[in-house]
Each structure stands twice: as C-alpha cells, then as structure tokens.
Amino acid sequence: MSLLRSLRLCLVARTGSCPLSALGPGPLLPSLQAGLPLLQSPQQWHTFHSGSWLSSASSKELLMKLRRKTGYSFINCKKALETCGGDLKQAESWLHKQAQKEGWSKAARLHGRKTKEGLIGLLQEGDTTVLVEVNCETDFVSRNLKFQQLVQQVALGTLLHCQNLKDQLSTYSKGFLNSSELSELPAGPEREGSLKDQLALAIGKLGENMILKRAAWVKVPAGFYVGSYVHGAMHSPSLHNLVLGKYGALVICETSELKANLADLGRRLGQHVVGMAPLSVGSLDDEPGGEAETKMLSQPYLLDPSITLGQYVQPHGVSVVDFVRFECGEGEDAADAE
C-alpha cells in the first residue's frame, strides 16, 4: 500500500493535477499537505521566468532595433542590453568596444598576410575630390558590402580632412596620405574613434587581413576642373556617390570657362591616364612619342592612337596641368620580389 501511495505522490509532483483525495486516507496525507508550499505549478514557474527584461514587448523591440542598427548577432545584442540595463545607446557602444577588441586581436593574428586585392574609391564633393585605396586578401571580400562601407568611411575621412584645411586657393592643391597618416584620421561625425578602429571592426567581421593603403586629394578654385575615371566602376545605392573599382585617375585641368562637355572630356582624360599610365604631364611642344612614351601629352591618345593626347586636348580649350593614378595592389609584386 505504501508503494501505491508513493506512485500517486510522484504523479502529483509531475502534473500538479491530481486531487489530494486521490491519495486516499492514511498518515501520508498530513505530511504531503505540509510539503505543498514547496511545489510550484507550471503557471507560477512561467511567471518567475517572465521577470526577465526580455519578456516585455518593449524590450524585444529594443533588441530588434539594436540588431538592425549594428548588424551584430541576436546573442551579442541580448548580452549588450543585459549588461547595460536596457540602455540602447550604451549597448551599442559596448558592442563596438567588444568588436574592436576582437578585431584588434584578429588583426594581430593576420598581420603579415598578403593583401593584393581590394578597391579604389573615388569621391567628389564641390571643389574637392579624393581617391583612396584599401586592400584585402581576396577579391571575394572586396565585393562584400561591409568592405565597401569601409572604403566609403576612408574616402569620407579623407574628404573631411581635406575640407578642414583652411587655405585660400589661387591655384589647385594636391596632397597624399600614407597608410599610417590615413589610419589616424577621425572616423567621421557619426563614428567613434579613428579610421584604424573601423579597420579593426572590418577585420573582425570579415576575417581577412586589410590595409588602409593610401589616399590622394585635390582641391581646385575657379578656373580649374578635375576630371575623373574609375575602371570597372561599381555603384551601390547605399554608398551614395562613391565610385569603386580596381583603377582610378584624377586629371586636373585649367580652363577659361566651364563648358557643358567638361565632364565627358575629364572622363576620357582619366581613361587615358588609367590605360597609358603616364609618369608626367609633359608639354604640347614635346615631340610625339610611341607606345613607350611616358609624357602624357606626347603619348598616342588611348581612344585614337593616330593623334597624341595633346592634339586631342588642344581644340577643347583646356590645359592639362596634373594627374593622379591609382592601381589596386600596385607595388605588391615589387615588394614580393625584394
């Protein structure tokens, strides 16, 4: 009989649905009644767990908002909100700091791996134009939106740096930033830290070694124009007016008046610089050269080799005064040979 009562007791403990009378009379009943406060129904257990902040609709909405804004995993966003007591701004900052730590750690492990791939980024705004190069290990990563967003941040950082240079221009100005100088630039008004912090975040997310290789900027006053061209150009709606590709060129022209066809002329001049890779501008008085010619104006015009570039430009009423040419991965082969 004691065995039967024990089985009935187990049934009550599991389901909580059996009435006490089903246990029958006997000495077990008082002791069971005394132990009842220790047993919690399934409904009470659910109420206990719903005390977590994640149970409320507003907290779940916070979680989804944080995930959409940062792109981090559900688990990491949940941990961030729990750590920061549900404060969205603090949680976002906490996530970025953790990601930077992970990114710097991964960057240290990947340091030294070859970065021959990547992208050239071109950005123009008003009288300022910038050209940047960011490298990675594989072409696959260079086509990833997160990598392209890094190139955008570098281009914006360079543009802001150039615009903050308060100089009165009577002629054009041109400047270059090497890798270390580029890394120390501020990340921008909506980003914390420097560009090297954004680099660490990208390395942490994409798992490849990356380098902020270089940047060039040009500012022009009235009477000057910057033509531009990017070969293999890629446009993304999310990247605004940033143009991406594997080769890029800026051509600085002096003109007495702004003409409607200047944009097309500048693009054609940029194409020539990318294709013919001149080393200097040269002069209209120079003798025409052949395929090995390195002076830009004396080179056979890329789109019509029967004339020189100088002969093509002269009727348009503009003077080519300078240029910049970037080729993605340029110099890596020479470094390998050394």
Side-chain angles (χ1 to χ4, degrees):
M1 194 63 170
S2 60
L3 178 61
L4 181 59
R5 289 178 179 175
S6 298
L7 289 173
R8 287 174 175 168
L9 177 59
C10 289
L11 183 62
V12 171
R14 288 185 181 179
T15 67
S17 59
C18 180
L20 289 179
S21 59
L23 296 177
L28 181 61
L29 186 57
S31 60
L32 181 59
Q33 288 174 329
L36 273 177
L38 299 177
L39 299 176
Q40 295 181 351
S41 69
Q43 185 177 2
Q44 289 172 318
W45 178 248
H46 175 75
T47 303
F48 172 78
H49 278 282
S50 66
S52 168
W53 68 272
L54 266 179
S55 64
S56 68
S58 60
S59 297
K60 289 178 181 177
E61 186 179 344
L62 268 181
L63 179 59
M64 295 306 296
K65 187 175 181 179
L66 181 62
R67 194 178 183 204
R68 283 194 301 268
K69 189 173 183 181
T70 64
Y72 294 111
S73 69
F74 177 89
I75 293 175
N76 286 334
C77 289
K78 178 176 178 289
K79 184 177 180 181
L81 285 167
E82 288 175 343
T83 302
C84 301
D87 187 298
L88 188 64
K89 190 172 182 180
Q90 289 184 16
E92 185 179 353
S93 178
W94 184 88
L95 277 170
H96 286 315
K97 288 177 182 177
Q98 295 302 311
Q100 281 178 5
K101 288 179 183 178
E102 182 182 343
W104 283 121
S105 175
K106 189 169 289 187
R109 295 197 302 271
L110 299 176
H111 180 71
R113 282 164 56 163
K114 300 299 180 184
T115 53
K116 294 184 178 182
E117 298 294 336
L119 288 171
I120 303 296
L122 168 70
L123 188 61
Q124 290 184 287
E125 186 176 293
D127 62 357
T128 305
T129 308
V130 302
L131 205 59
V132 302
E133 179 182 356
V134 182
N135 298 129
C136 58
E137 295 180 45
T138 65
D139 183 60
F140 177 78
V141 162
S142 74
R143 288 183 272 114
N144 187 289
L145 181 59
K146 293 188 187 303
F147 180 80
Q148 294 173 5
Q149 288 171 338
L150 173 64
V151 180
Q152 181 189 37
Q153 289 167 21
V154 175
L156 284 170
T158 305
L159 185 72
L160 290 172
H161 167 75
C162 183
Q163 290 175 338
N164 288 334
L165 299 175
K166 305 296 183 183
D167 45 3
Q168 297 296 322
L169 295 178
S170 58
T171 185
Y172 76 95
S173 65
K174 180 178 74 171
F176 294 90
L177 296 170
N178 61 30
S179 182
S180 59
E181 292 168 336
L182 202 52
S183 298
E184 296 301 327
L185 292 182
E190 297 181 1
R191 305 275 182 174
E192 294 182 0
S194 62
L195 288 178
K196 66 182 178 183
D197 296 321
Q198 299 303 311
L199 175 66
L201 285 171
I203 291 174
K205 289 177 180 177
L206 298 174
E208 279 196 7
N209 190 24
M210 299 174 198
I211 295 175
L212 308 183
K213 181 75 173 289
R214 54 181 171 167
W217 53 265
V218 174
K219 290 179 73 174
V220 294
F224 286 81
Y225 175 79
V226 180
S228 62
Y229 174 72
V230 172
H231 186 68
M234 295 181 287
H235 298 265
S236 172
S238 64
L239 300 178
H240 306 295
N241 59 338
L242 179 73
V243 185
L244 299 168
K246 295 295 185 180
Y247 298 81
L250 308 178
V251 182
I252 305 158
C253 301
E254 190 172 5
T255 178
S256 56
E257 57 179 324
L258 292 178
K259 301 178 181 179
N261 67 337
L262 274 181
D264 185 59
L265 175 64
R267 183 178 62 83
R268 290 174 181 268
L269 294 175
Q271 283 179 317
H272 179 91
V273 170
V274 165
M276 298 298 287
L279 300 179
S280 63
V281 174
S283 166
L284 290 173
D285 298 327
D286 294 332
E287 291 293 324
E291 292 293 332
E293 179 61 63
T294 60
K295 294 179 181 178
M296 181 178 175
L297 294 175
S298 300
Q299 289 178 323
Y301 175 40
L302 180 69
L303 302 180
D304 183 3
S306 66
I307 60 173
T308 66
L309 183 74
Q311 291 169 339
Y312 168 71
V313 169
Q314 201 166 18
H316 289 86
V318 302
S319 300
V320 177
V321 295
D322 207 345
F323 65 90
V324 177
R325 181 185 186 274
F326 277 7
E327 179 179 340
C328 188
E330 195 173 27
E332 290 296 321
D333 292 334
D336 287 346
E338 291 176 5

